[in-house]
Amino acid sequence: MKLLLVPAIALILAFSMGGCKSSSANGPKPFCDTACLKDTLKFAGDHTSNPFVYITPNNCKGDTLVWGYTGIAARKTKFDYPDAKLNKDFARCIFKDNEFAYILFNDCATGRGFQIKLPYDKTQSFVMKTSGINNIDPKFSIADNLLAYTDRGNIYVEEITTGKKAMMTFGEKLDIEYDDIHEYIDSVNVTDTRIWVKVKIGEAWKELEKKITLE
């Protein structure tokens, strides 16, 4: 009996360890590498005045936004979401000459999309959207000249350089958690003329589509 007891215990432990491993594997996975951000993220536009945007880190986190161009004093503000895990490969910046820049990035811990408009005119305030549907996410196909974002009941599209807009409704307000976006919005495809989205409404996944005119 003593000889049989040892393999039996070993077998129980093996099943137990296997169960733990399976549970961990099924847990949420980071969207991208969450390693410490040590270097300043630097973006430069191609306008002759050399517009730029910097995100400087502190203690591994985004700390300060700095933006400007040749001939003006740079603007500076605190980075409002320091807990978002930044990665240079999952951030991009779109410049409209030296009028403004748009930073798009996704939090590497959750995949949540952020969009920050940074006007160079000091009389204008910067604008941040924390429900961005960015084409940095491989499941979100958004034309490069467009922004897409949601307010849980609708999806909005905006042409970056002109500000022209369009929208499509989901038909009801959804309990979307932006830090777990793919539990609610599986995939999106947006062009200048069409919005398509696969979204969870109630317990069912539905595909919604609308032809649009940006205006």
Side-chain angles (χ1 to χ4, degrees):
M1 289 294 292
K2 287 183 180 179
L3 291 176
L4 293 174
L5 186 61
V6 173
I9 292 172
L11 189 62
I12 292 168
L13 286 172
F15 274 109
S16 174
M17 290 176 69
C20 290
K21 193 175 291 183
S22 174
S23 174
S24 173
N26 291 332
K29 296 180 181 179
F31 178 76
C32 49
D33 190 348
T34 58
C36 175
L37 179 69
K38 296 180 179 179
D39 299 325
T40 296
L41 299 185
K42 297 182 177 181
F43 306 95
D46 56 9
H47 190 265
T48 55
S49 61
N50 304 311
F52 66 87
V53 174
Y54 297 161
I55 304 178
T56 61
N58 183 36
N59 194 28
C60 297
K61 300 177 180 181
D63 181 74
T64 306
L65 276 167
V66 183
W67 69 105
Y69 60 83
T70 303
I72 67 165
R75 301 187 67 179
K76 183 185 294 187
T77 189
K78 196 72 176 172
F79 187 72
D80 277 349
Y81 288 86
D83 291 331
K85 297 291 186 181
L86 298 177
N87 182 315
K88 64 180 179 62
D89 296 325
F90 292 84
R92 56 191 286 251
C93 191
I94 304 162
F95 292 83
K96 183 183 180 184
D97 300 328
N98 59 4
E99 292 182 36
F100 60 80
Y102 249 113
I103 296 179
L104 311 182
F105 67 90
N106 283 59
D107 176 7
C108 280
T110 66
R112 184 175 188 165
F114 294 81
Q115 302 168 349
I116 310 175
K117 183 179 182 180
L118 300 171
Y120 290 100
D121 184 345
K122 291 188 176 182
T123 65
Q124 300 179 32
S125 301
F126 74 96
V127 178
M128 175 177 278
K129 298 182 179 73
T130 59
S131 58
I133 297 175
N134 298 333
N135 62 7
I136 296 166
D137 188 319
K139 297 203 79 175
F140 295 157
S141 176
I142 315 297
D144 284 338
N145 63 315
L146 302 176
L147 295 176
Y149 50 93
T150 181
D151 65 354
R152 296 188 172 92
N154 309 281
I155 182 169
Y156 296 93
V157 176
E158 180 178 337
E159 191 171 42
I160 295 169
T161 56
T162 66
K164 292 181 178 180
K165 299 177 181 179
M167 60 83 71
M168 181 180 74
T169 182
F170 297 143
E172 60 183 271
K173 199 79 169 178
L174 306 177
D175 294 327
I176 295 174
E177 172 54 61
Y178 297 136
D179 285 339
D180 196 10
I181 193 72
H182 286 298
E183 285 295 310
Y184 308 88
I185 299 177
D186 176 77
S187 47
V188 176
N189 189 296
V190 177
T191 68
D192 291 343
T193 59
R194 171 180 173 267
I195 300 173
W196 177 92
V197 60
K198 183 177 179 181
V199 61
K200 191 173 186 180
I201 300 176
E203 295 301 316
W205 286 99
K206 296 185 178 180
E207 295 183 12
L208 305 178
E209 184 174 2
K210 180 183 178 181
K211 292 182 179 180
I212 60 170
T213 301
L214 294 162
E215 52 190 12

